[in-house]
Amino acid sequence: MIDWRSAATGALRGLRGGPAVTYGLIAACCLLFAFSPVSGLNPAHGTGDALLAAQGSYFRRWGVVPAELMSGEPRALLTPFTALFVHGSWLHLLGNMLFLYVFGAMAEERMGRFAYALFYLGTGYLALAGYAAAHAHSEQTLVGASGAISGVLGAFLFLFPRSRVTSLFPFLFFLPLRFPAWIVLIFWFTLQWMAARAAGAGPGVAYLAHVVGFAIGFLYAWVRYRGGDRVKAPAAATEGESQP
């Protein structure tokens, strides 16, 4: 027989001693997405044209519109924060949460919960604002936690360069292989940089926000922790899978 009280107590203890901010961010993004018109799970948003209209309104209200942000409109200045918790599809959500789960826990443990939370929000804001500045006249809505998570990846590269992560590379037939984090993350950053140079301001993935977030995250970790200890032992490994 399962002792549910003991199980709940153990879970709470694990949350208090574990990466509570990372798990909280994942939970918040998943819950907000489930209740949003994008998930298709909430019948209150209707179907057909009514659902499409609700989705468009949702993105416009909570996402970043570069032209509005660059105009200095007070409400728009808050949207880089709210956009971090808005996702455009199930695939968008699950991909972001996977990366956050794999890399966020160790970064949070190294930085501390409060500093990590500020780092996540601040990096995410600057990543989205950086994209908006580069496309100042765009009316396309920008949403997602990718900029903030890219910042986590950049910090992870500096703090844990030799930690091993399990990765799936398409050109290697998606075989799960373990590589040092510096190989995986530099490869990922190179792909984002190349895609950002080829992308425009239209609909699609905001690769430039990834590049900006990663660079800010790495620079922050370099400035903040360059005089301290870095984890160089390859024995420390993250859990889960990353897909560059």
Side-chain angles (χ1 to χ4, degrees):
M1 182 176 180
I2 299 176
D3 186 347
W4 293 106
R5 177 177 292 183
S6 298
T9 302
L12 288 174
R13 288 176 179 172
L15 185 60
R16 286 196 294 267
V21 174
T22 296
Y23 291 162
L25 289 169
I26 293 173
C29 287
C30 290
L31 286 173
L32 289 172
F33 182 83
F35 285 102
S36 77
V38 187
S39 70
L41 299 177
N42 190 343
H45 298 297
T47 58
D49 292 340
L51 179 60
L52 292 176
Q55 292 173 353
S57 177
Y58 177 71
F59 290 140
R60 192 83 184 184
R61 179 176 182 182
W62 302 112
V64 174
V65 178
E68 294 179 0
L69 180 62
M70 291 298 100
S71 72
E73 181 183 342
R75 187 201 67 82
L77 294 176
L78 295 177
T79 56
F81 287 127
T82 59
L84 295 177
F85 298 92
V86 177
H87 289 85
S89 68
W90 280 100
L91 184 61
H92 188 201
L93 172 73
L94 295 177
N96 276 349
M97 295 305 101
L98 176 61
F99 270 80
L100 183 56
Y101 173 76
V102 170
F103 295 98
M106 290 177 65
E108 179 181 347
E109 181 180 0
R110 180 66 178 86
M111 295 182 184
R113 290 178 179 174
F114 183 71
Y116 173 77
L118 292 180
F119 165 80
Y120 181 92
L121 294 174
T123 302
Y125 189 104
L126 292 175
L128 296 179
Y131 178 91
H135 303 286
H137 301 293
S138 174
E139 295 288 340
Q140 293 291 335
T141 307
L142 180 63
V143 299
S146 303
I149 296 171
S150 297
V152 173
L153 301 187
F156 193 99
L157 174 60
F158 180 83
L159 296 173
F160 309 103
R162 295 181 62 188
S163 293
R164 292 186 175 272
V165 279
T166 302
S167 303
L168 303 177
F169 290 89
F171 56 84
L172 294 177
F173 305 103
F174 293 97
L175 293 175
L177 302 174
R178 294 182 69 78
F179 293 96
W182 70 268
I183 293 178
V184 175
L185 294 177
I186 289 178
F187 177 76
W188 179 88
F189 178 76
T190 301
L191 291 181
Q192 306 307 303
W193 173 261
M194 293 172 61
R197 295 188 62 182
V205 180
Y207 293 105
L208 181 60
H210 301 177
V211 172
V212 173
F214 189 95
I216 292 174
F218 184 86
L219 289 173
Y220 170 82
W222 178 73
V223 171
R224 175 66 178 80
Y225 299 103
R226 60 179 172 172
D229 295 330
R230 295 170 63 191
V231 177
K232 299 180 180 180
T238 58
E239 297 295 333
E241 298 177 345
S242 66
Q243 301 178 4

